[in-house]
Amino acid sequence: QVPLVESGGGSVQAGGSLRLSCEVSEFTSSNFYSMGWFRQESQKEREGVATLDSDDDAAYVDSVKGRFTVSLDNAKNTLYLQMNNLKPEDTAMYYCAAQRRARMTASQALKTPIFMDAWGQGTLVTVSS
């Protein structure tokens, strides 16, 4: 299993910003069909937040469009999630994930976290009002 290591979570007030990072050790983005960020609140299902596909197209869940940006630095083997104008409803555990099973669009990957075959341990984001 490919190790993914997230960092950058923390506590901020509403309107603030955070940048999450995900280091993909020993592999490059060319090894994956899809990479992205998912989040899970307590007692709720994990949902896709932002994903990238092998064509570098991105997809976002409606609630974060215009506020979050997903990007990949191939030189650093690191996936980022820039989160601006954070809201209390963004509070969740955020996970980095990737998959090498099948080629799919970023939108498909966003909606089907079950296809991801590599997950990080998660980083907690807490947004207070």
Side-chain angles (χ1 to χ4, degrees), residues 4-5 16 20 23 26 29 33 37 40 46 57 59-60 62 64 87 98 101 104-105 109-110 114 117 122:
L4 305 177
V5 181
L20 305 184
E23 182 178 343
E26 300 180 356
S29 60
Y33 287 123
W37 293 92
Q40 187 168 20
R46 193 168 295 187
D57 291 325
Y60 299 89
D62 287 346
V64 308
K87 302 177 179 181
R101 295 178 179 178
M104 61 178 63
T105 66
L110 187 74
I114 194 172
D117 56 11

Side-chain angles (χ1 to χ4, degrees), residues 16-67:
S17 297
L18 285 173
R19 188 177 77 160
L20 305 184
S21 300
C22 174
E23 182 178 343
V24 186
S25 177
E26 300 180 356
F27 288 83
T28 68
S29 60
S30 61
N31 290 16
F32 295 92
Y33 287 123
S34 311
M35 302 181 75
W37 293 92
F38 298 78
R39 66 186 178 188
Q40 187 168 20
E41 299 176 63
S42 179
Q43 307 299 320
K44 293 186 178 180
E45 291 187 358
R46 193 168 295 187
E47 70 165 352
V49 178
T51 52
L52 287 173
D53 62 25
S54 55
D55 293 325
D56 291 328
D57 291 325
Y60 299 89
V61 66
D62 287 346
S63 61
V64 308
K65 287 180 180 178
R67 300 188 297 122

